Amino acid sequence: MATVTRARRAAIQRDAQRIRMRCQRDHRTIERTVTEIRTALPEVTALEAWRLSLGWSRADAIEQVAALYTAAGLRPRGLTDAMLCRWEHDAGRWPDDEYTVMLCQAYGARPEQLGLDRCRWASGPGMFRYGRDHTAADDGHGPHDKEPMRMTTDAGLPAVRESLHLALLASPEGGPLVVDLAEAAVEHYALGYSKHPPHVLFEQVRDVRQLLTPALKSGPDSEGVRRQVGWLSALLGNLAYHLDDTSGARVHLATAAAYGARTGDRRLEAWAWGAQSMVDRASGRVDAAVEHAERGAAMAAPGRGRAQLYAWALLPALAAAGRGNEADSALATALDELDAADEPEAPGRFGFDAAELALHQAEAYLALGRAADARARAESSLAQCTSGTPGWAAAALVLAQAEASGTARDAAQRAHDVLDRVPAARLRSTARARLSRLANMLTSHAAADASALTERLRTLPAPIDAHGRPLTG
């Protein structure tokens, strides 16, 4: 490639930004935006075009790659601006395999889309699946029904199950090792909950719970096994909810609560009732949502546990019931409990952090008709989330709902941005529900924007069930 002057490089940046903004207004996908940038600006490589289409500086891209390493429990390798610049502009310089995978994951693209398929990849690009691909035809199961190679975090899921299986073969009746491994499996699934499509994780958690069933009946550590079966049931309930299976979610969560009560694990029991409240609220069973939230909050331990139940379950349930003063009181209690907690934040599905607290506040304020407060809290939640994650999608869509009456076009664009960045297989039922509510809200404020979003939602692939198949069609 011929040398590009600094002045020309600056002009390319400006032109690419204008093209991206036009494509955003026209609701173009990232892939289409890349095509338009490269057509208008032939000096731009595929790798650079994807970054520009996302609206990222090199520093932003480096931050996203580092976040992926951190989320996987790894130390970032130290990607620099100069390295990324060389990969973008020097046809003879290539990222290694690991960086190629991370760039694909960060950009939501396949190797060939980034121009990184010309060397290694002997098995062919169709045999690789990345967490954020954009092709509707590829549902993550590979060509001709062959199972694709997965990112390390996905490959690790069956390995956890297999290790537990080996321990059970050695001690079919259970024992301390089985209990320890079951507890480690629960922690692994809880900490990695948002890294996997819900249907993938559901299958693994279900298989592990089934493995433990024989050890429930007898053995010196059956009580410990029961406790972990309870936590696995709690995970299955949450996953069923995110797969839009509310009746299944209620069954799994009731099982979790029962095992929590039987083993004296009040934290499990409280969390299960809080999750039941969440499912009730999504099903329109507001009175049941309040009742279950109150039940969970009453048995939650002081500190972070009680704060979580008040903010995640009781606050939104009371807001949905229109009980504003009580909702404000629940929020005050949550904040007080957090102030008194030794560790106010904890990671994972069973944890709680500032971004989640702000999200629950925002949704409660929306339900109570306090759009300005909802917008402020949603912005706070969004700022603390990594782009493309389920938490980011939730915060972005709640913010869009808060913006709908005042800046409808911005609200619609946020929805399109979520659909561009999060593949259908990773789009939780909660995100789909928020998208539908937003489309309905936009109908009375911006018919054209609402129509474009509604049409896109109409053609969105169906949700994915526990076997990786569409629920309908």
Side-chain angles (χ1 to χ4, degrees):
M1 180 179 295
T3 301
V4 178
T5 66
R6 182 173 298 180
R8 176 57 183 157
R9 183 61 60 193
I12 287 173
Q13 297 289 326
R14 292 193 298 270
D15 291 344
Q17 185 177 14
R18 282 195 290 268
I19 293 170
R20 175 176 175 271
M21 292 175 66
R22 172 170 54 77
C23 288
Q24 282 186 322
R25 289 194 299 270
D26 294 340
H27 309 309
R28 304 294 190 189
T29 64
I30 297 296
E31 189 170 0
R32 178 65 180 273
T33 304
V34 169
T35 300
E36 297 202 16
I37 287 176
R38 297 200 70 198
T39 299
L41 305 167
E43 304 100 319
V44 177
T45 63
L47 183 59
E48 184 178 20
W50 272 84
R51 177 175 60 78
L52 294 173
S53 295
L54 291 166
W56 291 354
S57 65
R58 288 201 189 94
D60 292 330
I62 291 167
E63 182 180 351
Q64 291 296 323
V65 170
L68 288 172
Y69 275 100
T70 302
L74 302 172
R75 179 180 297 176
R77 290 175 60 190
L79 177 59
T80 66
D81 188 288
M83 291 166 61
L84 185 54
C85 180
R86 286 195 297 271
W87 297 339
E88 289 181 345
H89 300 149
D90 187 345
R93 303 297 294 268
W94 285 77
D96 61 22
D97 287 354
E98 184 175 307
Y99 268 135
T100 297
V101 169
M102 287 301 190
L103 286 168
C104 288
Q105 179 82 347
Y107 289 4
R110 301 185 304 280
E112 67 271 20
Q113 291 177 308
L114 297 181
L116 300 179
D117 61 323
R118 290 168 289 173
C119 287
R120 299 162 296 270
W121 313 109
S123 299
M127 292 299 293
F128 288 83
R129 189 187 85 185
Y130 298 92
R132 293 171 54 202
D133 58 318
H134 284 269
T135 56
D138 180 7
D139 65 357
H141 294 275
H144 312 299
D145 295 323
K146 292 180 180 178
E147 183 66 9
M149 293 181 67
R150 300 175 185 268
M151 291 289 290
T152 302
T153 50
D154 277 3
L157 289 176
V160 170
R161 180 196 64 218
E162 290 157 7
S163 290
L164 182 59
H165 187 200
L166 290 171
L168 283 164
L169 288 176
S171 302
E173 75 286 354
L177 176 60
V178 170
V179 173
D180 287 346
L181 286 178
E183 184 177 0
V186 169
E187 181 180 11
H188 179 78
Y189 298 141
L191 291 177
Y193 189 96
S194 295
K195 297 178 184 177
H196 311 283
H199 68 281
V200 172
L201 190 56
F202 186 99
E203 182 177 358
Q204 296 298 321
V205 174
R206 182 197 60 195
D207 287 351
V208 165
R209 189 179 67 167
Q210 184 64 29
L211 283 175
L212 291 172
T213 300
L216 286 172
K217 300 176 182 178
S218 61
D221 293 285
S222 58
E223 190 79 357
V225 174
R226 291 190 187 96
R227 182 175 291 107
Q228 300 314 317
V229 165
W231 282 109
L232 291 166
S233 298
L235 283 170
L236 287 177
N238 215 135
L239 287 161
Y241 171 64
H242 284 144
L243 289 166
D244 203 24
D245 179 10
T246 54
S247 59
R250 285 160 56 189
V251 171
H252 295 309
L253 292 170
T255 300
Y259 273 87
R262 182 172 181 178
T263 60
D265 191 334
R266 291 177 65 84
R267 176 170 171 256
L268 169 58
E269 192 176 1
W271 192 94
W273 288 121
Q276 280 278 28
S277 176
M278 172 184 67
V279 175
D280 291 333
R281 186 162 37 88
S283 305
R285 302 169 67 243
V286 177
D287 290 342
V290 173
E291 178 184 344
H292 288 147
E294 290 176 337
R295 186 170 181 176
M299 64 180 58
R304 186 182 67 240
R306 187 173 295 168
Q308 181 182 30
L309 266 294
Y310 271 83
W312 162 51
L314 191 54
L315 168 62
L318 291 170
R323 294 157 61 174
N325 290 337
E326 292 172 82
D328 289 337
S329 177
L331 174 59
T333 299
L335 295 174
D336 288 344
E337 292 290 338
L338 279 180
D339 286 341
D342 294 333
E343 297 180 354
E345 295 194 2
R349 178 69 281 175
F350 301 124
F352 191 62
D353 59 24
E356 185 181 352
L357 171 61
L359 177 66
H360 299 320
Q361 287 179 263
E363 288 208 288
Y365 290 146
L366 271 180
L368 294 169
R370 305 175 191 172
D373 291 334
R375 181 170 182 167
R377 299 314 298 149
E379 287 175 340
S380 175
S381 181
L382 188 64
Q384 299 174 75
C385 294
T386 300
S387 176
T389 61
W392 172 86
L397 293 174
V398 171
L399 177 55
Q401 291 177 49
E403 294 173 328
S405 61
T407 53
R409 176 151 293 185
D410 288 346
Q413 185 52 52
R414 287 192 192 280
H416 286 290
D417 193 33
V418 168
L419 291 170
D420 282 341
R421 292 174 183 253
V422 184
R426 287 180 175 265
L427 202 61
R428 294 175 177 175
S429 65
T430 46
R432 291 171 180 263
R434 291 180 178 112
L435 283 163
S436 296
R437 285 197 296 272
L438 176 61
N440 291 333
M441 294 171 71
L442 290 174
T443 300
S444 59
H445 300 291
D449 290 316
S451 177
L453 179 58
T454 299
E455 176 60 20
R456 192 166 182 187
L457 293 179
R458 186 185 68 78
T459 60
L460 191 67
I464 303 299
D465 70 6
H467 304 288
R469 297 188 295 261
L471 294 177
T472 59

